Protein backbone atom coordinates (compact mmCIF):
# COMPACT_ATOMS: atom_id res chain seq x y z
CA UNK A 1 0.00 0.00 0.00
CA UNK A 2 1.24 3.50 -0.83
CA UNK A 3 2.63 5.83 1.82
CA UNK A 4 2.49 9.61 1.98
CA UNK A 5 5.39 11.43 0.37
CA UNK A 6 7.26 14.71 0.75
CA UNK A 7 9.47 16.70 -1.60
CA UNK A 8 12.53 15.22 0.11
CA UNK A 9 11.49 11.73 -1.15
CA UNK A 10 11.73 12.81 -4.80
CA UNK A 11 14.68 12.21 -7.11
CA UNK A 12 14.40 14.09 -10.41
CA UNK A 13 15.77 12.10 -13.37
CA UNK A 14 17.18 14.09 -16.33
CA UNK A 15 18.76 12.33 -19.33
CA UNK A 16 20.72 14.71 -21.55
CA UNK A 17 22.21 14.36 -25.03
CA UNK A 18 23.74 17.30 -26.91
CA UNK A 19 21.41 19.72 -25.13
CA UNK A 20 23.60 21.55 -22.62
CA UNK A 21 21.72 24.79 -23.29
CA UNK A 22 18.39 23.09 -22.62
CA UNK A 23 19.76 21.50 -19.45
CA UNK A 24 20.24 24.95 -17.95
CA UNK A 25 16.56 25.74 -18.64
CA UNK A 26 15.45 22.39 -17.19
CA UNK A 27 17.40 22.96 -13.98
CA UNK A 28 16.05 26.48 -13.69
CA UNK A 29 12.47 25.23 -13.92
CA UNK A 30 13.22 22.82 -11.05
CA UNK A 31 14.57 25.64 -8.90
CA UNK A 32 11.39 27.63 -9.61
CA UNK A 33 9.27 24.88 -8.04
CA UNK A 34 7.29 25.93 -4.96
CA UNK A 35 8.80 22.87 -3.23
CA UNK A 36 12.26 21.55 -4.09
CA UNK A 37 13.06 17.85 -4.61
CA UNK A 38 15.51 15.93 -2.45
CA UNK A 39 17.93 15.44 -5.33
CA UNK A 40 18.45 15.87 -9.07
CA UNK A 41 20.26 13.22 -11.11
CA UNK A 42 21.64 14.20 -14.52
CA UNK A 43 23.10 11.59 -16.87
CA UNK A 44 24.97 12.75 -19.96
CA UNK A 45 24.40 10.12 -22.64
CA UNK A 46 27.62 10.77 -24.58
CA UNK A 47 27.05 14.41 -25.54
CA UNK A 48 29.46 16.32 -27.77
CA UNK A 49 28.83 19.53 -25.81
CA UNK A 50 29.49 20.03 -22.08
CA UNK A 51 26.46 19.51 -19.80
CA UNK A 52 28.76 18.97 -16.82
CA UNK A 53 29.84 22.60 -17.05
CA UNK A 54 26.19 23.63 -16.79
CA UNK A 55 25.71 21.47 -13.70
CA UNK A 56 28.74 23.08 -12.07
CA UNK A 57 27.22 26.54 -12.60
CA UNK A 58 24.52 25.67 -10.05
CA UNK A 59 27.01 24.58 -7.38
CA UNK A 60 24.36 22.48 -5.62
CA UNK A 61 25.32 19.24 -3.83
CA UNK A 62 21.81 17.93 -4.49
CA UNK A 63 22.72 17.55 -8.18
CA UNK A 64 24.40 14.26 -9.08
CA UNK A 65 26.07 13.97 -12.48
CA UNK A 66 27.33 11.06 -14.56
CA UNK A 67 28.71 10.84 -18.08
CA UNK A 68 28.40 7.60 -20.09
CA UNK A 69 28.76 6.34 -23.63
CA UNK A 70 25.71 6.93 -25.80
CA UNK A 71 23.10 4.26 -25.13
CA UNK A 72 19.80 6.05 -25.71
CA UNK A 73 17.28 7.64 -23.34
CA UNK A 74 16.38 4.34 -21.66
CA UNK A 75 19.99 3.62 -20.74
CA UNK A 76 20.45 7.18 -19.47
CA UNK A 77 17.35 7.00 -17.29
CA UNK A 78 18.42 3.62 -15.92
CA UNK A 79 21.84 4.97 -14.99
CA UNK A 80 20.18 7.90 -13.24
CA UNK A 81 17.80 5.62 -11.32
CA UNK A 82 20.76 3.54 -10.14
CA UNK A 83 22.20 6.70 -8.59
CA UNK A 84 18.91 7.95 -7.14
CA UNK A 85 18.29 7.63 -3.40
CA UNK A 86 14.68 8.86 -3.33
CA UNK A 87 11.85 6.32 -3.30
CA UNK A 88 9.86 8.52 -5.70
CA UNK A 89 11.08 9.33 -9.21
CA UNK A 90 10.14 12.44 -11.18
CA UNK A 91 11.13 12.44 -14.85
CA UNK A 92 12.10 15.61 -16.71
CA UNK A 93 13.28 15.61 -20.31
CA UNK A 94 15.73 18.42 -20.97
CA UNK A 95 13.56 20.21 -23.53
CA UNK A 96 10.40 20.24 -21.38
CA UNK A 97 9.29 22.70 -18.69
CA UNK A 98 7.52 22.23 -15.38
CA UNK A 99 5.19 24.95 -14.17
CA UNK A 100 6.16 26.16 -10.66
CA UNK A 101 3.40 24.30 -8.75
CA UNK A 102 3.94 20.96 -10.50
CA UNK A 103 5.65 19.00 -7.73
CA UNK A 104 3.65 20.61 -4.92
CA UNK A 105 0.32 19.73 -6.57
CA UNK A 106 1.42 16.16 -7.29
CA UNK A 107 2.60 15.62 -3.71
CA UNK A 108 -0.71 16.97 -2.41
CA UNK A 109 -2.72 14.72 -4.77
CA UNK A 110 -0.61 11.66 -3.92
CA UNK A 111 -1.11 12.15 -0.19
CA UNK A 112 -4.83 12.75 -0.66
CA UNK A 113 -5.10 9.42 -2.49
CA UNK A 114 -3.17 7.65 0.27
CA UNK A 115 -5.49 9.07 2.93
CA UNK A 116 -8.43 7.78 0.88
CA UNK A 117 -6.92 4.29 0.98
CA UNK A 118 -5.92 4.29 -2.70
CA UNK A 119 -2.83 2.39 -3.84
CA UNK A 120 -1.09 5.00 -5.99
CA UNK A 121 2.17 4.05 -7.75
CA UNK A 122 2.15 6.65 -10.54
CA UNK A 123 0.75 10.13 -10.94
CA UNK A 124 0.86 12.32 -14.04
CA UNK A 125 -0.59 15.73 -14.99
CA UNK A 126 -2.16 17.30 -18.03
CA UNK A 127 0.40 18.63 -20.53
CA UNK A 128 0.56 21.27 -23.22
CA UNK A 129 2.68 20.77 -26.36
CA UNK A 130 4.45 23.65 -28.03
CA UNK A 131 6.04 23.46 -31.50
CA UNK A 132 8.61 26.17 -32.22
CA UNK A 133 7.09 28.31 -29.47
CA UNK A 134 3.46 27.92 -30.62
CA UNK A 135 1.04 25.84 -28.52
CA UNK A 136 -0.32 23.11 -30.78
CA UNK A 137 -2.39 20.87 -28.54
CA UNK A 138 -3.13 19.76 -24.99
CA UNK A 139 -3.08 16.21 -23.65
CA UNK A 140 -5.66 15.64 -20.95
CA UNK A 141 -6.09 11.91 -20.37
CA UNK A 142 -7.35 11.13 -16.86
CA UNK A 143 -6.37 7.99 -14.93
CA UNK A 144 -8.40 7.07 -11.86
CA UNK A 145 -6.86 3.80 -10.67
CA UNK A 146 -6.34 0.50 -12.54
CA UNK A 147 -4.85 1.40 -15.94
CA UNK A 148 -3.08 -1.67 -17.32
CA UNK A 149 -5.80 -2.63 -19.81
CA UNK A 150 -6.00 0.91 -21.18
CA UNK A 151 -2.22 1.16 -21.52
CA UNK A 152 -2.16 -2.09 -23.47
CA UNK A 153 -4.18 -0.42 -26.23
CA UNK A 154 -2.57 3.03 -26.22
CA UNK A 155 -0.23 5.19 -24.21
CA UNK A 156 -2.60 7.02 -21.87
CA UNK A 157 0.19 8.78 -19.96
CA UNK A 158 0.24 12.50 -20.73
CA UNK A 159 4.01 12.67 -21.11
CA UNK A 160 7.15 11.32 -19.47
CA UNK A 161 7.94 14.70 -17.93
CA UNK A 162 4.53 14.72 -16.21
CA UNK A 163 5.17 11.51 -14.23
CA UNK A 164 6.13 10.90 -10.63
CA UNK A 165 6.19 7.26 -9.54
CA UNK A 166 7.39 4.68 -7.07
CA UNK A 167 10.96 3.61 -7.87
CA UNK A 168 10.81 -0.03 -6.78
CA UNK A 169 8.31 -1.35 -9.38
CA UNK A 170 10.44 0.20 -12.13
CA UNK A 171 13.60 -1.45 -10.82
CA UNK A 172 11.81 -4.80 -10.48
CA UNK A 173 11.27 -4.99 -14.26
CA UNK A 174 14.84 -3.92 -14.99
CA UNK A 175 14.03 -0.28 -15.69
CA UNK A 176 13.60 1.12 -19.19
CA UNK A 177 14.35 -1.29 -22.06
CA UNK A 178 17.70 -0.34 -23.62
CA UNK A 179 17.65 -2.53 -26.72
CA UNK A 180 15.29 -0.22 -28.61
CA UNK A 181 14.70 3.51 -28.56
CA UNK A 182 10.98 3.77 -29.08
CA UNK A 183 8.17 3.51 -26.49
CA UNK A 184 10.60 2.41 -23.78
CA UNK A 185 8.67 4.64 -21.40
CA UNK A 186 5.36 2.92 -22.14
CA UNK A 187 6.85 -0.40 -21.06
CA UNK A 188 7.65 1.14 -17.66
CA UNK A 189 4.15 2.63 -17.38
CA UNK A 190 2.73 -0.87 -17.96
CA UNK A 191 4.95 -2.28 -15.22
CA UNK A 192 3.76 0.42 -12.82
CA UNK A 193 0.12 -0.16 -13.78
CA UNK A 194 0.58 -3.85 -12.99
CA UNK A 195 1.89 -2.88 -9.53
CA UNK A 196 -0.86 -0.44 -8.50
CA UNK A 197 -3.08 2.47 -9.40
CA UNK A 198 -2.31 5.29 -11.83
CA UNK A 199 -3.87 8.72 -11.31
CA UNK A 200 -3.83 12.22 -12.79
CA UNK A 201 -3.66 15.77 -11.50
CA UNK A 202 -6.19 17.42 -13.86
CA UNK A 203 -4.16 20.60 -14.43
CA UNK A 204 -1.70 21.56 -17.18
CA UNK A 205 1.58 21.57 -15.25
CA UNK A 206 4.04 20.53 -17.98
CA UNK A 207 4.96 22.19 -21.27
CA UNK A 208 6.37 19.79 -23.85
CA UNK A 209 8.58 21.63 -26.32
CA UNK A 210 9.12 20.37 -29.86
CA UNK A 211 11.30 21.72 -32.64
CA UNK A 212 9.77 21.03 -36.03
CA UNK A 213 6.98 18.55 -36.81
CA UNK A 214 6.03 16.29 -33.92
CA UNK A 215 5.16 13.43 -36.25
CA UNK A 216 7.89 10.90 -36.96
CA UNK A 217 8.97 11.43 -40.56
CA UNK A 218 10.10 7.84 -41.10
CA UNK A 219 6.74 6.13 -40.73
CA UNK A 220 8.02 2.70 -41.77
CA UNK A 221 10.79 2.80 -39.17
CA UNK A 222 8.25 3.98 -36.60
CA UNK A 223 6.01 1.02 -37.47
CA UNK A 224 8.83 -1.48 -37.02
CA UNK A 225 9.72 0.03 -33.65
CA UNK A 226 6.11 -0.32 -32.50
CA UNK A 227 5.94 -3.95 -33.61
CA UNK A 228 9.14 -4.62 -31.67
CA UNK A 229 7.57 -2.94 -28.63
CA UNK A 230 4.48 -5.18 -28.88
CA UNK A 231 6.65 -8.30 -29.06
CA UNK A 232 8.58 -7.13 -25.99
CA UNK A 233 5.39 -6.46 -24.01
CA UNK A 234 3.87 -9.81 -25.07
CA UNK A 235 6.96 -11.64 -23.84
CA UNK A 236 7.54 -9.72 -20.60
CA UNK A 237 3.91 -9.58 -19.45
CA UNK A 238 2.87 -12.95 -20.93
CA UNK A 239 -0.15 -11.45 -22.65
CA UNK A 240 -2.81 -13.75 -24.15
CA UNK A 241 -3.02 -13.77 -27.94
CA UNK A 242 -6.30 -11.85 -27.93
CA UNK A 243 -4.70 -8.93 -26.07
CA UNK A 244 -1.79 -8.90 -28.51
CA UNK A 245 -4.26 -8.81 -31.40
CA UNK A 246 -5.97 -5.80 -29.81
CA UNK A 247 -2.64 -4.00 -29.46
CA UNK A 248 -1.81 -4.59 -33.12
CA UNK A 249 -5.30 -3.60 -34.21
CA UNK A 250 -5.12 -0.23 -32.49
CA UNK A 251 -1.56 0.38 -33.71
CA UNK A 252 -2.42 -0.36 -37.34
CA UNK A 253 -5.51 1.87 -37.00
CA UNK A 254 -3.27 4.74 -35.88
CA UNK A 255 -0.98 4.23 -38.86
CA UNK A 256 -3.90 3.90 -41.27
CA UNK A 257 -5.20 7.30 -40.15
CA UNK A 258 -1.71 8.86 -40.17
CA UNK A 259 -0.98 7.70 -43.72
CA UNK A 260 -4.40 8.89 -44.83
CA UNK A 261 -3.79 12.36 -43.34
CA UNK A 262 -0.57 12.52 -45.36
CA UNK A 263 -2.37 11.52 -48.55
CA UNK A 264 -0.64 8.14 -48.85
CA UNK A 265 -3.70 6.05 -49.62
CA UNK A 266 -1.70 3.03 -50.80
CA UNK A 267 0.01 2.68 -47.40
CA UNK A 268 -3.28 3.46 -45.68
CA UNK A 269 -4.90 0.51 -47.50
CA UNK A 270 -1.90 -1.64 -46.58
CA UNK A 271 -2.53 -0.88 -42.91
CA UNK A 272 -6.15 -1.92 -43.41
CA UNK A 273 -4.88 -5.26 -44.71
CA UNK A 274 -2.70 -5.68 -41.64
CA UNK A 275 -5.73 -4.96 -39.45
CA UNK A 276 -7.63 -7.68 -41.36
CA UNK A 277 -4.73 -10.08 -40.74
CA UNK A 278 -5.05 -9.60 -36.97
CA UNK A 279 -7.69 -12.32 -37.15
CA UNK A 280 -10.79 -11.82 -35.02
CA UNK A 281 -12.59 -8.99 -36.82
CA UNK A 282 -15.26 -8.95 -34.11
CA UNK A 283 -12.63 -7.14 -32.02
CA UNK A 284 -13.41 -4.15 -34.23
CA UNK A 285 -16.93 -3.98 -32.83
CA UNK A 286 -15.64 -3.01 -29.39
CA UNK A 287 -12.95 -0.58 -30.53
CA UNK A 288 -14.42 2.57 -32.15
CA UNK A 289 -11.08 3.96 -33.36
CA UNK A 290 -10.13 0.74 -35.12
CA UNK A 291 -13.65 0.38 -36.51
CA UNK A 292 -13.64 3.89 -38.00
CA UNK A 293 -10.18 3.38 -39.48
CA UNK A 294 -11.10 0.08 -41.09
CA UNK A 295 -14.32 1.55 -42.48
CA UNK A 296 -12.27 4.09 -44.43
CA UNK A 297 -10.57 1.39 -46.48
CA UNK A 298 -13.25 -1.31 -46.60
CA UNK A 299 -16.39 0.71 -46.99
CA UNK A 300 -19.01 1.03 -44.27
CA UNK A 301 -21.54 -1.48 -45.62
CA UNK A 302 -18.99 -4.27 -46.09
CA UNK A 303 -17.65 -3.73 -42.59
CA UNK A 304 -21.14 -3.78 -41.06
CA UNK A 305 -21.81 -7.09 -42.73
CA UNK A 306 -18.67 -8.58 -41.14
CA UNK A 307 -18.85 -7.16 -37.63
CA UNK A 308 -22.56 -6.60 -37.14
CA UNK A 309 -21.72 -3.17 -35.65
CA UNK A 310 -24.04 -0.27 -36.55
Amino acid sequence: MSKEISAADISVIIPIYNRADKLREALNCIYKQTVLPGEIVVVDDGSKDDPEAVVKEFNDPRIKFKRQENGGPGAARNAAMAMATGRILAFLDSDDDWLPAKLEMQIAKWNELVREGKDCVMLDTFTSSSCNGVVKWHRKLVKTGPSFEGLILENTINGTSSVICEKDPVLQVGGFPETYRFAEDRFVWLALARAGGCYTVPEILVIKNHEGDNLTDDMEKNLQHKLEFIRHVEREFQLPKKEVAKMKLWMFADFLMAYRRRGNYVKSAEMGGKMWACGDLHLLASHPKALAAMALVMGRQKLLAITGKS
Side-chain angles (χ1 to χ4, degrees):
M1 184 61 68
S2 300
K3 298 178 181 178
E4 292 194 27
I5 63 173
S6 69
D9 295 319
I10 296 176
S11 295
V12 180
I13 304 299
I14 305 178
I16 187 78
Y17 178 66
N18 291 339
R19 288 292 187 92
D21 56 331
K22 297 294 184 182
L23 175 60
R24 185 179 292 105
E25 296 174 16
L27 290 171
N28 278 326
C29 87
I30 294 173
Y31 285 105
K32 291 177 182 176
Q33 291 294 298
T34 52
V35 294
L36 295 180
E39 68 180 2
I40 303 165
V41 187
V42 179
V43 171
D44 172 16
D45 194 40
S47 298
K48 294 180 174 62
D49 54 12
D50 193 3
E52 186 174 12
V54 174
V55 169
K56 288 179 178 178
E57 291 174 13
F58 288 83
N59 191 30
D60 186 346
R62 287 174 298 185
I63 305 179
K64 297 180 178 179
F65 179 83
K66 178 183 179 180
R67 177 177 171 79
Q68 65 180 25
E69 294 298 314
N70 181 253
R77 291 191 185 107
N78 288 342
M81 287 190 296
M83 298 167 63
T85 59
R87 69 179 183 90
I88 301 296
L89 304 175
F91 298 101
L92 176 59
D93 289 344
S94 59
D95 51 356
D96 295 340
D97 295 315
W98 287 349
L99 297 188
K102 192 259 187 189
L103 288 182
E104 182 177 12
M105 291 185 69
Q106 285 187 295
I107 292 168
K109 178 66 174 179
W110 187 292
N111 292 340
E112 175 188 320
L113 291 166
V114 170
R115 289 191 291 270
E116 292 174 355
K118 305 289 178 59
D119 186 19
C120 177
V121 298
M122 176 168 60
L123 185 64
D124 71 352
T125 75
F126 290 168
T127 62
S128 180
S129 288
S130 171
C131 184
N132 298 323
V134 178
V135 174
K136 292 292 186 179
W137 64 88
H138 303 301
R139 190 166 170 85
K140 298 181 176 181
L141 302 177
V142 176
K143 276 71 63 187
T144 58
S147 300
F148 186 82
E149 295 300 324
L151 276 163
I152 283 293
L153 295 179
E154 59 181 331
N155 191 350
T156 56
I157 303 305
N158 291 309
T160 301
S161 294
S162 72
V163 170
I164 67 170
C165 67
E166 293 273 6
K167 181 172 65 175
D168 285 349
V170 182
L171 296 179
Q172 286 166 8
V173 295
F176 291 82
E178 299 181 13
T179 55
Y180 59 95
R181 302 189 181 189
F182 183 89
E184 73 282 348
D185 55 348
R186 187 174 165 194
F187 174 79
V188 169
W189 310 152
L190 282 165
L192 286 160
R194 267 280 177 91
C198 305
Y199 296 85
T200 301
V201 175
E203 298 282 346
I204 294 174
L205 297 172
V206 176
I207 308 298
K208 295 171 57 63
N209 297 305
H210 306 276
E211 296 177 1
D213 192 344
N214 185 56
L215 290 174
T216 301
D217 290 329
D218 191 341
M219 293 278 285
E220 188 60 33
K221 186 176 181 180
N222 192 352
L223 175 62
Q224 295 309 312
H225 282 316
K226 286 200 171 186
L227 285 170
E228 185 180 353
F229 166 75
I230 291 173
R231 287 192 291 269
H232 187 76
V233 169
E234 179 184 12
R235 180 175 63 254
E236 294 298 324
F237 294 106
Q238 299 181 345
L239 295 181
K241 295 297 182 183
K242 187 172 183 179
E243 291 302 311
V244 175
K246 286 182 182 179
M247 287 185 76
K248 290 180 177 179
L249 197 61
W250 278 60
M251 180 196 69
F252 290 134
D254 285 340
F255 276 86
L256 186 158
M257 301 297 285
Y259 277 123
R260 192 173 181 86
R261 285 193 298 270
R262 293 182 176 198
N264 191 335
Y265 298 108
V266 172
K267 292 296 291 186
S268 182
E270 181 184 323
M271 293 302 105
K274 290 180 181 296
M275 290 169 69
W276 183 282
C278 286
D280 186 359
L281 289 181
H282 287 87
L283 291 174
L284 291 173
S286 61
H287 297 287
K289 181 171 66 172
L291 186 65
M294 196 66 166
L296 289 172
V297 294
M298 290 184 62
R300 185 170 181 273
Q301 293 304 318
K302 183 177 181 181
L303 189 61
L304 289 178
I306 295 172
T307 65
K309 180 77 172 179
S310 60

